[in-house]
Each structure stands twice: as C-alpha cells, then as structure tokens.
C-alpha cells in the first residue's frame, strides 16, 4: 500500500518550509521524518507529535520544552534543535539530521558490544550529558533509543523532551512517572526527584546493556521492573559475560548504587572514572609494588594479614591494588631489634646441633621479615607506593592549578583545551583524575583548560549576492537566517544591503545571520500618455524617471497620426529607470479610391463619399456636360480614409 495513503504528513510542506520526504521512526509520542528545509536548502529531521496528543497541553508543552532545552546546549554530542512550531493540526520541531542508526538498532544487530566498542560510545554519551549538567539540565531519559551512532563515527544524544532544570521540581506529573522504566533511577520511583546522579544511574544501566546485550531487569510489568531497581542491586556485567574486568564491574556498581551520594556526582565525574578504569586495564595484569611485597612474604604472612588479621585489599580508581595497613604488618612481625647473632650458650645450656640451627634460621627469617616490613612501610608511606587525594582544580587559572597541585605533591600536564560557554578562558574545565580521588604521590593530574566560549566572526556580506553570502556564512560555521527585501537606488537587485548581527560580530557556531536584500530602485508612478503626441509622451515619461521605446506604429481611426495609441505598462508603478513601450498612430488606414472618371458629378460624389473620402469639385468650362474628366489621386490607388479626392467636371 502507498504509505502516503496511511500518513497524511508524507509529502506535505509543513509551515510553508519543510518538505516531508520519508518516515524515519515512530515513538509513543511522535513520528520522526526526513525533510528538506526549503528555505535553507538542508536536510533536517522533522519530529511531529501524534495527532491525538496535539490537543493535550502537557504534551505540547513538553515538545516546546525539548526545543528550548536543546537550544541551551551547543555541545557537538547533542542533537541540535533548529525550530519549533505548529501548522494547523501538525505540532512539530525540526532537528539536526544524523545519518546513521540508533544504539538500539546496533544492539539488535550485534547482540552485545565488546568493551573496546562500548567504552568509547559511553564516553561520548557522558560528554554530552556533562554539557547538559553544566548547563543545569538533567536529561531524564537516557536509553539506547536516544543515542545516535552517525556513519562518520560521531555519537550524539537526542530527545531532551523530558529534560528538566536541576533546580526545578521534577519526576512525577499528575501521578504519572515520566521516563523509561528499564533505565529509571530508584529515587525517581521512590521520591519523584531527579538530578545529574539520576542520569549517571541510567548511563550505568546503558553501559551494562551494551556489555551484556540485555537489561539487568526486564519484564512485562513496568511497575515490577521499577521496583526491582529500587530493591535489588544491579548485578555485575561479568556474571552475564565472562571476562569483563573487575574495574568495569566496579564502575557499573558505583554508577548504579541505590544511594545517589555513592554515585559519581555528575556525568563528567563518571566519565573521569571511566577513563581511569579503562586506562588501568592495561596495568591490571602487571603486579604493583604492593603485589610484589605480599608475594615476597611467607605463605603464613599472607594468610595472617588477609585472613587472621582481617586486612583486605581494596581496589582504587586506577584499578591498582593498595597494600594492607602496615600497622597490621608490624604487629604480626617479630621484634626487628633482635640481635643479629645469637649469644653463645653456656655449656650446661648447649642444645642439640639441629635445634640450634633451626633457631638461627628462624632469627634470620625474622630479620629479613622486619627489613621487608620496614621497606613496605616506607613504600606506602613516603615512597613510590604512597597515595594522596587529588585536590579540586576546577575553575582555577592555569597558574593557580599548578600551585595547588604542587602543594599536594603532584604535577600537572595538559590535555587539548576545549571550548566552554560557562568556564572563562584559561581556567580549568576538567581534570583526570577527578577531585577527591586517590592517586599516587608524584603522579600527574591531566588538566583541560577552557578556550572560553566558541565564537565565530560574522563575515562581511554587504554587496554579495544571496548564494555568495550563504557560502561565506557556511565557511564561517554560520547559517543564513531571515531574508527581507528593501528598495535601493545604489545596490543592484539581489545583493545584500545589511546583515544582523553586522560584520565582525562574534557569535556561536551555527548562529543564524539575518540579511536585507536589495530589490533595486523604488517604483515610480507611470504617467498617462495615450493620445498624446509622441514627443510630449516621451517627455512626460522622462520626467517620471522612466525611459521609453517605440515598439511599433499602427493605423488608427481615432488617434491622430504621430500620437500614442497605447503604452505598456500604461498605469500603476514601475521600477525607476525601467522602460515603457509605446505604440504610435499612423493615422487612419488607407482605402482604395473609386474610379469615377466618366461618371456624372452626383454619381462620382456619392461613390467617393461612401468610400470614406472628402470630395473637392472643380468645374471646367462651367461644367456644362456634368461629366468627371479628372481625378486626384486617380482611381485604383489607395489613400487614407477621410482624405480629400479632387475631381474635375466638364
């Protein structure tokens, strides 16, 4: 069946601007189409609300809110929203068209993703969410359907229809839980609240699903699924797929903790932990100094520390093993001050040779153990194995960040700077590791400095044609906005008279620049010249600012020869300097002259009069016979109608 019969939006020109071409996807709230913006000549995604929801003010408001929320974000990882409006029964918004597929489609195709594929996708999703969190927005609907994988490798987050400001009351509306239940943070269900940590929870579920190919909780009953999120702990991905590293299990566990305070505080913090976890995987198979020390001890020491004394190993953010508490090591060790050589016994105290040898070996073992424990204490307290906590460098200038890092015994290295709408130029946007993370002393903190807001200078457009202006704007990462026309006596029609904002103004990437386009000189009234002599008509047109051309000449029974029969245009207005075409009269049309030679005076006069001529009679010798002897012009020739024919009568 022809889809146009089922879908009246297909083929429609929405809002006089968006030509709908094909349907891309259908959701519970809207249908997304591929369309062409005929004004800017670009492909867009047109999101049209279902007709049965268009009369619901709450859903319409959510549509409008999506456009406003996305418009606040300029991050390349967020699908841009260009326009929003209504055209009759069609409530719509237009978005950036991303050629590719959704993460949901990729999971259906691949089943699950390996860590090398899933981690970069999660990193890009977290970067986009971090931009939203910095702008004070919570997405509230993070799921594979809202992650777009472009054919050129970009990853974009879409659909901010449920986004809310962090400061706003969010969650339930009129008793309805808004969100996708399979990815819903527990506090959304229990308290009806959401903040950046709620998005972190959803991102953790997203990561779990990418790695395992399934959701942690699934079922036909949404309420049951929601309360499993509240009452159960998300299982480790490695339980479903063998070989997933512990560091990744721990990241998922932290992101999906029931208590929001135990999660990374926002997407940027989770992104930092992801980078650390993945970076640590390369070291996970190499024993740290702590491993070596534990392995160097006797089996009994290892068992005493880990089992008998209850000391445990803890995994840090960099996936390196910490040493057990050294105080436990010292408490379990013999006195390190025991003499190096045993006192020679008295003869009465002599022991069997084998017993003396065993005691000597035990003493040597104690000395070696004491030395090892001292080395361990130095290693974890002041040596290369020592840890410290990363200071917060966010928002500091480069010099202040270096000073604060140095005070903590750390060095600073710089990653490529990024643009930021909120952080001033040369201040710190992000650090790896994040603030308050454990890190080896003398290690380096990677710092990202702000380039300030990304801005592009508006190019000079005045004097360019519209196509040339569009090309110049595209080269400057801008687009042409509204076009209005104005008359000009100096600029050629179709060229740019002015732009807003004017040339040189610094604006955001993708900003629209409005232009005024010349329509040429203003029109002038056309004087009435029909019936006037040609010279008089031409003079009147010249005085009005127009030119004239004689298009032709024609006979006229009513307009004298040499006067204007018609003008085109003959009335109204015309652009100044334009030409008026004139048709000039040649007088009445010529008609054949009757031959009246030899006819009587009365008969000749009657024939000539009936032919439309005037008659002049001259009598020769008194005209005694009354017969026409001469005729001028002679009969058979043509003469203008109404002209005079002279006859001579004898």
């Amino acid at each position: 069946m022809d889809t146009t019969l089922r879908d009246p939006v297909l083929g429609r020109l929405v809002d006089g601007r968006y030509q709908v071409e094909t349907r891309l996807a259908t959701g519970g709230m809207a249908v997304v189409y591929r369309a062409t913006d005929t004004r800017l000549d670009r492909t867009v995604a047109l999101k049209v609300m279902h007709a049965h929801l268009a009369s619901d003010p709450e859903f319409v408001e959510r549509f409008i809110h999506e456009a406003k929320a996305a418009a606040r974000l300029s991050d390349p990882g967020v699908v841009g929203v260009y326009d929003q409006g209504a055209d009759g029964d069609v409530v719509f918004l237009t978005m950036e068209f991303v050629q590719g597929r959704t993460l949901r489609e990729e999971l259906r195709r691949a089943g699950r993703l390996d860590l090398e594929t899933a981690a970069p996708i999660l990193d890009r999703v977290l970067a986009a969410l971090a931009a939203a969190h910095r702008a004070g927005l919570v997405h509230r609907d993070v799921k594979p359907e809202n992650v777009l994988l472009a054919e050129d490798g970009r990853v974009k987050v879409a659909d901010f229809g449920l986004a809310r400001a962090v400061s706003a009351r969010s969650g339930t509306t009129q008793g309805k839980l808004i969100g996708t239940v399979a990815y819903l943070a527990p506090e959304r269900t229990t308290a009806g609240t959401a903040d950046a940590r709620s998005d972190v929870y959803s991102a953790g579920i997203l990561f779990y699903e990418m790695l395992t190919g399934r959701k942690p909780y699934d079922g036909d009953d949404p309420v049951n699924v929601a309360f499993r999120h509240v009452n159960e702990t998300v299982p480790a991905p490695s339980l479903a797929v063998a070989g997933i590293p512990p560091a990744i299990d721990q990241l998922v566990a932290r992101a999906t903790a029931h208590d929001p305070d135990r999660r990374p505080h926002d997407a940027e913090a989770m992104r930092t932990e992801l980078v650390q976890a993945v970076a640590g995987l390369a070291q996970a198979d190499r024993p740290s100094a702590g491993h070596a020390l534990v392995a160097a001890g006797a089996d009994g020491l290892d068992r005493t520390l880990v089992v008998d004394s209850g000391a445990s190993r803890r995994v840090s953010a960099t996936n390196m093993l910490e040493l057990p508490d050294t105080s436990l090591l010292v408490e379990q060790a013999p006195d390190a001050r025991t003499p190096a050589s045993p006192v020679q016994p008295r003869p009465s105290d002599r022991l069997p040779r084998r017993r003396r040898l065993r005691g000597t070996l035990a003493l040597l073992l104690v000395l070696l153990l004491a030395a090892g424990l001292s080395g361990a204490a130095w290693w974890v307290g002041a040596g290369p194995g020592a840890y410290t906590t990363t200071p917060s460098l966010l928002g500091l200038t480069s010099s202040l960040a270096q000073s604060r890092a140095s005070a903590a015994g750390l060095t600073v290295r710089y990653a490529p700077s990024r643009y930021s709408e909120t952080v001033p130029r040369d201040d710190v946007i992000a650090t790896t590791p994040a603030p308050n993370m454990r890190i080896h002393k003398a290690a380096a903190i990677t710092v990202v400095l702000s380039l300030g807001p990304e801005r592009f200078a508006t190019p000079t457009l005045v004097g360019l044609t519209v196509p040339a202006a569009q090309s110049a704007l595209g080269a400057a990462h801008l687009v042409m906005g509204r076009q209005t026309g104005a008359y000009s006596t100096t600029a050629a029609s179709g060229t740019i008279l002015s732009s807003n904002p004017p040339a040189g103004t610094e604006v955001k990437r993708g900003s629209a620049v409005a232009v005024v386009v010349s329509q040429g000189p203003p029109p002038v009234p056309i004087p009435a010249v029909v019936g006037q002599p040609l010279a008089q008509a031409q003079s009147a047109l010249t005085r009005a600012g127009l030119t004239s051309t004689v298009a032709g000449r024609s006979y006229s029974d009513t307009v004298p020869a040499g006067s204007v029969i018609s003008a085109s245009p003959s009335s109204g207005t015309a652009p100044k300097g334009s030409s008026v075409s004139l048709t000039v009269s040649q007088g009445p049309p010529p008609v054949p002259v009757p031959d009246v030679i030899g006819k009587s005076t009365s008969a000749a006069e009657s024939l000539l009069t009936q032919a439309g001529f005037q008659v002049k009679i001259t009598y020769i010798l008194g005209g005694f016979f009354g017969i026409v002897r001469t005729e001028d012009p002679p009969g058979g020739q043509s003469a203008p109608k109404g002209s005079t024919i002279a006859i001579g009568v004898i």
Side-chain angles (χ1 to χ4, degrees):
M1 179 185 291
D2 188 350
T3 56
T4 57
L5 298 178
R6 299 195 305 268
D7 191 338
V9 178
L10 283 174
R12 178 170 172 176
L13 184 65
V14 174
D15 201 30
R17 176 174 182 178
Y18 304 108
Q19 183 65 52
V20 182
E21 298 170 353
T22 58
R23 184 165 52 201
L24 299 176
T26 301
M29 182 176 173
V31 180
V32 179
Y33 301 88
R34 173 176 174 152
T36 296
D37 182 347
T38 59
R39 186 176 302 168
L40 298 180
D41 192 23
R42 65 178 174 185
T43 301
V44 298
L46 187 75
K47 186 173 184 178
V48 177
M49 180 182 291
H50 289 315
H52 67 279
L53 299 178
S55 59
D56 187 326
E58 178 184 348
F59 284 98
V60 174
E61 174 60 27
R62 192 186 305 173
F63 238 49
I64 297 172
H65 178 77
E66 176 175 0
K68 291 181 178 179
R72 292 171 58 181
L73 305 176
S74 59
D75 189 85
V78 175
V79 174
V81 174
Y82 300 142
D83 191 13
Q84 183 277 325
D87 182 3
D89 58 340
V90 174
V91 178
F92 70 91
L93 56 83
T94 54
M95 305 177 295
E96 173 187 4
F97 178 77
V98 180
Q99 185 71 46
R101 62 200 181 283
T102 67
L103 178 56
R104 170 64 67 211
E105 292 169 330
E106 179 63 15
L107 287 173
R108 285 175 183 153
R109 183 195 67 81
R112 68 177 185 86
L113 307 180
D114 55 34
L115 180 59
E116 290 75 9
T117 303
I121 293 175
L122 180 65
D123 177 73
R124 292 293 83 211
V125 170
L126 292 173
L129 293 176
H133 294 169
R134 287 193 296 271
L137 291 174
V138 185
H139 189 283
R140 300 204 310 165
D141 199 17
V142 178
K143 58 184 179 181
E145 287 79 359
N146 289 336
V147 177
L148 305 184
L149 308 179
E151 290 182 349
D152 60 6
R154 294 174 299 152
V155 178
K156 285 181 171 282
V157 176
D159 198 347
F160 278 76
L162 299 185
R164 287 287 184 273
V166 175
S167 59
R169 178 174 177 83
S170 58
T172 58
T173 302
Q174 299 177 355
K176 293 177 289 187
L177 186 61
I178 301 177
T180 303
V181 69
Y183 308 89
L184 215 57
E187 64 271 16
R188 298 283 308 280
T189 301
T190 57
T193 60
D195 59 18
R197 297 169 298 181
S198 305
D199 283 350
V200 167
Y201 184 94
S202 301
I205 301 296
L206 183 76
F207 197 24
Y208 179 96
E209 185 174 2
M210 282 194 286
L211 294 171
T212 66
R214 60 178 183 243
K215 307 177 187 69
Y217 312 123
D218 213 342
D220 296 330
D221 184 358
V223 174
N224 179 57
V225 173
F227 280 93
R228 289 189 69 184
H229 280 279
V230 173
N231 297 309
E232 298 181 21
T233 300
V234 173
S238 61
L239 296 178
V241 177
I244 293 179
I248 300 303
D249 282 346
Q250 292 156 13
L251 176 62
V252 172
R254 273 184 49 76
T256 60
H258 282 171
D259 183 357
D261 290 336
R262 295 180 58 196
R263 302 174 202 153
H265 59 83
D266 62 11
E268 188 65 46
M270 182 179 176
R271 187 184 180 203
T272 299
E273 293 192 22
L274 172 66
V275 171
Q276 292 170 342
V278 173
L281 294 180
Q283 303 175 0
D285 295 330
R286 298 199 304 267
S288 67
H291 286 102
L293 284 171
V294 172
D299 291 343
L301 174 62
D302 196 19
R303 287 195 298 272
T304 300
L305 292 176
V306 176
V307 180
D308 298 338
S309 297
S312 63
R313 298 175 180 177
R314 300 177 298 274
V315 179
S316 72
T318 58
N319 203 39
M320 298 293 289
L321 287 174
E322 298 179 21
L323 287 173
D325 191 333
T326 56
S327 64
L328 294 176
L329 291 172
V330 174
E331 289 170 6
Q332 299 299 323
D335 191 346
R337 294 171 296 176
T338 303
S341 300
V343 178
Q344 293 295 328
R346 292 187 300 272
S348 59
D349 297 329
R350 290 179 183 272
L351 298 174
R353 180 181 178 88
R354 180 177 296 177
R355 188 173 181 180
R356 291 198 309 269
L357 180 59
R358 188 163 54 243
T360 301
L361 292 176
L363 179 60
L364 289 174
L365 179 60
V366 167
L367 292 175
L368 290 173
L369 180 59
L373 295 176
S374 298
W378 169 82
W379 178 276
V380 299
Y387 278 85
T388 186
T389 301
T390 54
S392 177
L393 308 181
L394 301 179
L396 300 182
T397 63
S398 176
S399 58
L400 286 177
Q402 286 184 325
S403 298
R404 183 170 293 184
S406 298
L410 304 170
T411 58
V412 171
R413 62 186 178 192
Y414 293 94
S417 299
R418 299 200 306 256
Y419 290 103
S420 172
E421 292 295 319
T422 57
V423 180
R425 184 180 181 87
D426 294 329
D427 286 2
V428 178
I429 297 177
T431 61
T432 303
N436 302 317
M437 301 294 291
R438 287 175 59 80
I439 187 174
H440 284 290
K441 281 187 177 180
I445 300 179
T446 300
V447 168
V448 178
L449 296 179
S450 170
L451 293 173
E454 184 183 34
R455 295 293 184 267
F456 296 93
T458 305
T460 300
L461 305 180
V462 174
L464 300 180
T465 63
V466 171
Q470 289 175 325
S471 177
L473 288 169
H477 306 288
L478 307 174
V479 297
M480 182 169 288
R482 183 181 180 187
Q483 300 179 37
T484 55
Y487 295 111
S488 172
T489 58
T490 58
S493 179
T495 58
I496 306 298
L497 293 174
S498 63
S499 64
N500 185 29
T505 304
E506 298 285 330
V507 295
K508 292 181 181 179
R509 177 189 291 267
S511 295
V513 178
V515 295
V516 178
V517 183
S518 172
Q519 294 177 316
V524 296
I526 301 173
V529 296
V530 173
Q532 295 182 2
L534 177 60
Q536 181 179 340
Q538 290 175 324
S539 177
L541 291 170
T542 300
R543 289 194 302 271
L546 303 171
T547 62
S548 62
T549 58
V550 176
R553 297 177 182 273
S554 181
Y555 295 106
S556 173
D557 291 330
T558 58
V559 178
S563 294
V564 176
I565 297 175
S566 63
S568 180
S570 61
S571 61
T573 61
K576 190 173 183 179
S578 59
S579 178
V580 177
S581 178
L582 303 176
T583 300
V584 180
S585 174
Q586 291 179 304
V591 295
V593 178
D595 184 2
V596 295
I597 298 296
K599 296 187 181 297
S600 65
T601 302
S602 59
E605 188 174 11
S606 176
L607 285 173
L608 292 171
T609 301
Q610 289 175 4
F613 296 107
Q614 301 291 326
V615 180
K616 180 182 178 183
I617 302 173
T618 302
Y619 293 98
I620 303 171
L621 301 176
F624 177 78
F625 296 101
I627 301 299
V628 176
R629 299 296 295 174
T630 64
E631 182 181 14
D632 185 24
Q637 293 186 6
S638 295
K641 191 175 183 179
S643 61
T644 301
I645 306 299
I647 60 175
V649 179
I650 62 170

